[in-house]
Amino acid sequence: MGFAALRPVLVGALLAADAGVVVALGVGRHRGWLPPFVGFGILLVGLMWLMGWSLKHRHDDDPEG
């Protein structure tokens, strides 16, 4: 099993951690919550794109033939 097969698991862990931060910021709404919420939200969208890409390319390092 190569790195390409493991990549979705690693991206999924990052995605779960970032989603937890976004939820905590959205629910807590402490003073000054909006800028980090927007920043982590943008990161969340990027990680969702990366997860889709990594799922499509998880067999990139398989041997040919």
Side-chain angles (χ1 to χ4, degrees), residues 5 33 35-36 38 45-46 49:
W33 70 279
V38 170
V45 170
W49 175 85

Side-chain angles (χ1 to χ4, degrees), residues 9-23 44 47 51:
V9 175
L10 300 174
V11 173
L14 287 172
L15 189 61
D18 189 54
V21 170
V22 170
V23 168
L44 183 63
L47 284 172
M51 178 59 115

Side-chain angles (χ1 to χ4, degrees), residues 3-61:
F3 178 72
L6 188 61
R7 188 175 19 218
V9 175
L10 300 174
V11 173
L14 287 172
L15 189 61
D18 189 54
V21 170
V22 170
V23 168
L25 285 169
V27 170
R29 292 191 181 188
H30 297 288
R31 184 177 179 157
W33 70 279
L34 189 58
F37 181 80
V38 170
F40 280 104
I42 291 169
L43 183 62
L44 183 63
V45 170
L47 284 172
M48 288 189 308
W49 175 85
L50 184 60
M51 178 59 115
W53 179 86
S54 65
L55 286 173
K56 290 178 185 175
H57 293 89
R58 64 182 163 216
H59 297 292
D60 282 353
D61 59 356

